[in-house]
Amino acid sequence: MTATLLFRSVFNLRLVSLAKRRGFVYPSSEIYGGLGSAWDYGPLGAELCNNVRAAWWRWMVHERDDIEGLDSSIILNRLVWKYSGHEETFTDPLVDCRECNTRLRADKLDDGKCPNCGSKNLTEPRPFNLMFRTHVGATAEDDADALVYLRPETAQGIFINFLNVLNTSRRKLPFGVAKLPFGVAQIGKSFRNEVTPGNFIFRTREFEQMEMEYFVRPGEDEQAHQEWIDACRQWFLDIGISADNLRLYEQPKEELAHYAKRTVDIQYRFFPEREDEERHWDELMGIANRTDFDLRTHSKKPEDAEGKRLNPDSTEDLSYFDEQTKQRFYPYVIEPAAGVNRSALALLMDAYSEKTNDKGETRVILKLHHSMAPIKVAVLPLAKNKPEIVGMAKAIKRSLQPIMRAVYDDTGGIGKLYARQDEVGTPFCVTVDHQSLEDEAVTVRDRDTWEQERVKVSDLPTYLLQRFGR
Ligand code: ATP
């Protein structure tokens, strides 16, 4: 193993151990020996994921006039997955290694070798459906009518509500979303019984998606697709991911999902430790042109060549009537789909840095973008045995907490308190000292520059908000 490689794999272990030690991510069900590839988000991880969701929702829904939000069920009528094609085709090619019995995804193998034992003695690939099955109601488990799935994507919940959103939004003035193009966004859990989950929170069986279906006129789809690809890449830059670690990947025809005309992935450099540069990259989000496949397949009207209904179960026609051209058609759909968890992982990896001080001590600094930092400000008393200083620090924390996530900490010397906040990416530390009791001012320290500024307590909220650029 080369020196760089060794350093980089240690680096990743450091990130995983930091995540556990500081309450970002814990292995799930740990007291019972864990559950393969399931993770729980601790206090700081929950804040980080909330920040990702909030930033995406604000950008996608609040800051636009043409997109509305939705929160649909995780368990849907089984027919949704029949007509979406998931029952038939939502599979991964599964192979078994005949030497060590490991189950593997055929499309993720390197040179057709088992990564566990190196053998090439593998079975023929067979399709394995990734949808989790369960049963509704108190019926016997083998009752086929009671079979349902946990959703493997949030998108279908949007398609089956197309008419609901269209009709309810039509009445909305002045900005209705009833006219094309318009979009519906949703954030929620999805479930896939992945054959080879792993790499920390990169691939898990339960995860969270942020998806938006953007309905456009056929013919306007290609331009809208390109605009969303560019906008999504920019969004990741805006929340602090560096351009060097992002790239666009055009899916070749043979990789495209059954509904897709074109799909471009935004990839992140999740695996910098790999020797081959090409293998550093993996998907952070996908932006697909799903054509009119979904609205058409869930509609009652389309017929085959013999005039037989393609979907005899649907009770609605999900087409759109264009008042201007007096034409009826099935809109095309552009779908930006990102993962909350993969975004959180990319943010943590991108922010991780180490700094060595004059004494040769190495400290971790998480250089998270201010908007993503779990804690925005920590208020620290310089002397915890001085009731006036402690009282003042606690009062400042209370005054800040309605406007930003603020914490109070007095469980160590000031150097240790700073280091603890740097490690979790807190952009600002506010120190209350003896002088503060006289001049009603505090010292504000910047995480990245380590510069200190004296600020009047009465100016502190405005000062911090300005520094956050809001
Ligand atoms: P992959 O090729 O990695 O299996 P995918 O192309 O099947 O992913 P999509 O269906 O496009 O993924 O889902 C959109 C996003 O949801 C992905 O870009 C990723 O961020 C997230 N995602 C998908 N599967 C998982 C998973 N098993 N664990 C965590 N996040 C996931």
Side-chain angles (χ1 to χ4, degrees):
M1 195 183 265
T2 64
T4 355
L5 203 62
L6 182 68
F7 169 72
R8 280 185 169 156
S9 34
V10 172
F11 168 83
N12 267 338
L13 281 180
R14 285 183 192 159
L15 183 76
V16 175
S17 85
L18 174 80
K20 166 141 199 230
R21 186 159 46 82
R22 297 309 315 274
F24 281 94
V25 185
Y26 313 123
S28 186
S29 318
E30 212 179 358
I31 63 165
Y32 289 108
L35 172 70
S37 297
W39 301 89
D40 296 339
Y41 290 78
L44 297 185
E47 295 286 349
L48 174 61
C49 289
N50 270 344
N51 291 340
V52 171
R53 288 183 204 106
W56 190 86
W57 196 260
R58 196 168 49 241
W59 170 65
M60 211 35 120
V61 181
H62 293 186
E63 292 176 1
R64 297 185 63 109
D65 301 328
D66 58 352
I67 298 180
E68 293 284 323
L70 180 78
D71 189 1
S72 69
S73 299
I74 285 174
I75 297 176
L76 304 174
N77 189 315
R78 187 181 158 192
L79 291 169
V80 173
W81 306 109
K82 173 180 170 181
Y83 288 103
S84 69
H86 283 77
E87 273 195 336
E88 189 80 5
T89 62
F90 196 63
T91 57
D92 274 342
L94 185 76
V95 292
D96 288 308
C97 172
R98 290 201 181 90
E99 300 298 328
C100 68
N101 294 327
T102 309
R103 291 233 142 131
L104 303 158
R105 247 177 88 170
D107 58 329
K108 295 273 172 186
L109 293 180
D110 249 354
D111 310 327
K113 273 196 218 138
C114 168
N116 192 37
C117 71
S119 165
K120 284 196 169 183
N121 187 6
L122 309 175
T123 60
E124 280 301 305
R126 60 191 185 283
F128 171 74
N129 197 297
L130 300 184
M131 285 195 291
F132 276 100
R133 294 155 160 247
T134 186
H135 296 84
V136 282
T139 21
E141 288 214 341
D142 51 7
D143 178 356
D145 291 341
L147 173 65
V148 286
Y149 304 103
L150 303 187
R151 68 178 176 202
E153 61 172 32
T154 64
Q156 296 303 322
I158 297 179
F159 298 129
I160 58 172
N161 277 294
F162 174 74
L163 284 186
N164 285 335
V165 179
L166 190 70
N167 293 335
T168 42
S169 306
R170 191 163 281 159
R171 282 174 234 121
K172 252 183 58 179
L173 293 168
F175 302 116
V177 292
K179 284 208 192 93
L180 290 183
F182 80 85
V184 182
Q186 162 150 252
I187 299 179
K189 290 255 172 144
S190 290
F191 303 81
R192 297 179 187 176
N193 199 2
E194 299 276 3
V195 179
T196 45
N199 292 314
F200 191 35
I201 54 173
F202 176 79
R203 187 182 303 285
T204 49
R205 295 190 170 108
E206 171 180 344
F207 57 98
E208 203 169 347
Q209 289 186 305
M210 306 183 283
E211 297 196 294
M212 194 276 290
E213 309 304 322
Y214 199 65
F215 302 99
V216 300
R217 290 185 174 75
E220 291 174 7
D221 53 312
E222 290 180 10
Q223 189 184 336
H225 190 196
Q226 191 54 49
E227 282 167 9
W228 278 111
I229 294 165
D230 299 339
C232 290
R233 181 177 174 278
Q234 186 57 45
W235 185 73
F236 282 112
L237 297 176
D238 291 346
I239 62 167
I241 301 219
S242 60
D244 288 349
N245 289 329
L246 287 178
R247 76 171 192 184
L248 298 180
Y249 171 77
E250 183 86 39
Q251 283 192 9
K253 285 266 172 296
E254 60 277 12
E255 243 178 66
L256 289 177
H258 61 279
Y259 49 73
K261 172 171 161 186
R262 180 187 174 212
T263 298
V264 172
D265 293 338
I266 297 181
Q267 296 187 327
Y268 180 77
R269 197 190 294 275
F270 282 111
F271 305 103
E273 73 282 1
R274 292 179 179 167
E275 220 143 346
D276 176 5
E277 220 269 326
E278 194 47 39
R279 296 184 57 243
H280 287 190
W281 305 90
D282 214 326
E283 179 177 333
L284 174 59
M285 85 174 286
I287 304 131
N289 180 344
R290 293 181 77 126
T291 68
D292 58 358
F293 174 85
D294 299 276
L295 292 180
R296 191 180 271 282
T297 193
H298 288 304
S299 290
K300 65 178 182 181
K301 280 203 176 147
E303 296 174 343
D304 64 14
E306 278 101 57
K308 218 170 98 206
R309 274 171 65 184
L310 292 171
N311 184 337
D313 294 307
S314 170
T315 58
E316 286 291 353
D317 183 54
L318 309 182
S319 60
Y320 175 86
F321 183 71
D322 191 338
E323 297 289 349
Q324 276 164 10
T325 60
K326 306 289 176 211
Q327 279 178 329
R328 185 170 280 285
F329 56 86
Y330 296 100
Y332 268 44
V333 177
I334 306 302
E335 176 192 76
V340 173
N341 320 77
R342 273 193 205 172
S343 301
L345 178 60
L347 285 164
L348 286 173
M349 290 183 69
D350 226 78
Y352 189 100
S353 70
E354 291 179 349
K355 189 165 178 169
T356 306
N357 66 11
D358 305 341
K359 293 182 209 147
E361 297 158 348
T362 300
R363 287 163 57 163
V364 172
I365 304 177
L366 267 193
K367 298 198 166 199
L368 287 168
H369 188 270
H370 292 175
S371 65
M372 294 294 121
I375 299 167
K376 308 296 180 200
V377 58
V379 187
L380 317 169
L382 199 62
K384 71 168 173 185
N385 52 2
K386 266 264 181 192
E388 299 91 330
I389 291 182
V390 166
M392 188 174 176
K394 286 185 174 168
I396 292 173
K397 186 261 175 186
R398 276 196 302 275
S399 74
L400 291 174
Q401 68 191 15
I403 39 177
M404 65 188 71
R405 176 72 173 139
V407 296
Y408 167 87
D409 190 5
D410 65 6
T411 58
I414 194 68
K416 196 166 167 199
L417 295 180
Y418 279 155
R420 207 180 274 164
Q421 294 303 326
D422 288 344
E423 213 178 39
V424 299
T426 307
F428 298 106
C429 287
V430 166
T431 309
V432 181
D433 53 25
H434 294 86
Q435 185 65 26
S436 306
L437 301 174
E438 311 287 320
D439 64 2
E440 287 283 311
V442 286
T443 301
V444 180
R445 195 208 58 151
D446 182 295
R447 175 196 69 198
D448 299 325
T449 59
W450 289 14
E451 273 169 16
Q452 307 198 348
E453 219 176 314
R454 200 75 184 161
V455 179
K456 280 274 175 210
V457 173
S458 53
D459 296 338
L460 194 57
T462 323
Y463 170 86
L464 288 170
L465 288 177
Q466 271 171 0
R467 293 291 302 270
F468 287 126
R470 292 189 351 195

